[in-house]
Amino acid sequence: MNVQATPAQVQNVCDHVRDRGFVPVELPGADRLAIGVLGSNPSSIRDVIVELPGVVDAVPVSKPYKQVTREWHPDATVVDVATARIGDGSFSVIAGPCAVETREQLITTAHAVQQSGAAALRGGAFKPRTSPYSFRGLGGAGLEHLVEARRLTGLPFVTEVLTPSDVDAVAEHADMLQVGTRNAQNFSLLEAVGDSGKPVLLKRGLSNTIEEWLLSAEYIVSRGNPGVVLCERGIRTFEAATRNTLDLSAVPVAKSLSHLPVVVDPSHATGHRHLVPPMALAALAAGADGLLIEVHPDPENALSDGPQSLTFAMFDDLMRHVSRVAEALDRKVATAPSQEAVPSSA
Ligand code: PEP
Ligand code: MN
């Protein structure tokens, strides 16, 4: 719309859009308002719209995904996960075990990662496993341990949800819902987490292109939930030396195409703990908004993903390096607010 467009002119455009079977979305910008037009083939009404009073131009969004593009929303989106603000320019590290195994394992890990400077806690209660005979998580009991860990440390937590029918139960407790790589194109799950209104950590599908990944994000955002954080966690290639191939170039590519924050999971991307710190620092240098890191008190005996899990000492060391690299890049490392009131061990 024109900088001087009146509210009546905006209303008039929205009415025309609606009358033709499309959905108008008002997009306030720094100095003028734009109106997004959603639906199939909105270019078909372009000629009518450009003639309306107050309209400067009607520009087709060139990509198949719409609301997640920079064309739709030029400014970076900040996703608020309780005390953690992901995408505000600072660097947010989310850390914790692959799976919640026991109360003690989770609580000790939560305290350790908080003391080393994590902004949020991770831990799977419902685990997607390649084999049906592997440990598939504690379920509801795992969620209770996560709630307790949050109470003791103040760290908000992200945990995976596997099916649309579990979304409400997990959303009731979690600060952020994780959609795993194996579910990245489970469209009914994407709609369900969209409807939940909770922030969502969306992993890139195992063999998904960046376009497919952004279309998955569009499923969530199109349900009226703008709180999506993209997570690059490695893709499947011919290379067998690493568990997956970390596509670091996906960070600047996704950030240039989309306004959504992008974090990197070097744990699943590499599969080997000695590869996690170098790739974590590389992700920071590549412009990522944060990290998702697996940390375990006793990785050798972890029930899942032990080989890629950092010890507490390794995580602490990594966080020191993260601070130094962040400083060199004029970035701030986000930490959780301190919890004076909480006991140091549980
Ligand atoms: C996880 O975060 O523990 C996990 C299962 O990740 P992914 O979906 O990326 O394999
Ligand atoms: Mn894992």
Side-chain angles (χ1 to χ4, degrees), residues 98 122 127-128 160 178 180-182 203 233 268 294:
C98 176
R122 63 149 290 148
K127 294 300 300 177
E160 183 158 353
Q178 178 171 322
T181 196
R182 295 160 188 82
K203 298 269 192 128
R233 49 77 70 202
H268 292 88
E294 287 186 341

Side-chain angles (χ1 to χ4, degrees), residues 249-267:
S249 58
V251 174
V253 171
K255 284 188 70 74
S256 65
L257 293 171
S258 175
H259 53 85
L260 299 174
V262 181
V263 301
V264 168
D265 170 355
S267 307

Side-chain angles (χ1 to χ4, degrees), residues 311-331:
T311 61
F312 295 169
M314 283 183 82
F315 180 69
D316 194 64
D317 197 51
L318 170 61
M319 290 304 286
R320 288 175 207 280
H321 284 91
V322 162
S323 297
R324 294 176 62 191
V325 175
E327 198 181 321
L329 294 165
D330 283 329
R331 302 269 311 268

Side-chain angles (χ1 to χ4, degrees), residues 20-37:
R20 286 166 176 76
F22 294 88
V23 178
V25 181
E26 290 185 30
L27 304 166
D31 40 32
R32 63 197 179 96
L33 180 111
I35 299 170
V37 180

Side-chain angles (χ1 to χ4, degrees), residues 18-71:
R18 230 178 268 110
D19 289 349
R20 286 166 176 76
F22 294 88
V23 178
V25 181
E26 290 185 30
L27 304 166
D31 40 32
R32 63 197 179 96
L33 180 111
I35 299 170
V37 180
L38 290 169
S40 173
N41 192 21
S43 294
S44 61
I45 59 168
R46 183 178 184 278
D47 292 350
V48 181
I49 299 299
V50 285
E51 296 305 328
L52 297 175
V55 174
V56 179
D57 200 2
V59 191
V61 174
S62 55
K63 300 289 191 295
Y65 40 88
K66 307 291 175 192
Q67 297 187 63
V68 305
T69 60
R70 290 263 181 194
E71 288 160 276

